[in-house]
């Protein structure tokens, strides 16, 4: 079985952006709630805490990774029911240097 790549990597002025595109068989409001409500995000990725508005930073737990680490995620954009854009920052990695 051959799998279709799950994302695309784009070169930017400061490094690279990984763009993931998914299609869901569910109403847009339900999918959006799965991204924007911590209790629902926890079901498939991990919980998050904080004010998730553009320009702010939240803390997200990767609940299905070894040791279940928390990382900070900067919310770049939030177009309801259309497009979330965010940047994760993992402690000790080079991305910490580019933090807004």
């Amino acid at each position: 079985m051959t799998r279709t790549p799950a994302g695309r990597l784009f070169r930017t002025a400061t490094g690279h952006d990984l763009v993931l595109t998914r299609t869901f068989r569910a109403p847009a409001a339900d999918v959006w709630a799965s991204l924007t409500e911590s209790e629902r995000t926890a079901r498939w990725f991990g919980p998050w805490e904080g004010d998730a508005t553009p320009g702010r930073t939240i803390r997200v737990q990767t609940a299905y990774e070894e040791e279940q680490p928390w990382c900070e995620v900067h919310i770049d954009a939030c177009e309801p029911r259309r497009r979330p854009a965010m940047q994760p920052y993992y402690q000790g990695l080079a991305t910490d240097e580019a933090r807004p």
Side-chain angles (χ1 to χ4, degrees):
M1 175 167 85
T2 304
R3 292 185 174 243
T4 303
R8 295 179 300 164
L9 193 61
F10 295 94
R11 188 176 307 259
T12 68
T14 58
H16 292 86
D17 283 349
L18 174 62
V19 176
L20 302 174
T21 303
R22 300 287 185 269
T23 302
F24 298 92
R25 291 184 178 168
D30 189 41
V31 174
W32 189 254
S34 293
L35 291 170
T36 60
E37 297 174 15
S38 180
E39 311 80 45
R40 296 201 45 194
T41 306
R43 296 179 199 165
W44 61 273
F45 187 82
W48 57 268
E49 56 189 33
D51 179 5
T53 56
R56 306 292 297 230
T57 299
I58 61 173
R59 286 179 22 97
V60 178
Q61 184 180 31
T62 52
Y64 299 97
E65 297 293 327
E66 188 175 321
E67 298 180 24
Q68 300 182 340
W70 285 83
C71 69
E72 291 185 348
V73 175
H74 184 264
I75 308 299
D76 294 327
C78 184
E79 298 171 23
R81 298 185 184 182
R82 188 176 180 312
R83 182 182 79 98
M86 57 207 81
Q87 297 179 47
Y89 300 104
Y90 297 97
Q91 187 174 7
L93 296 181
T95 55
D96 285 338
E97 298 170 10
R99 180 182 228 163

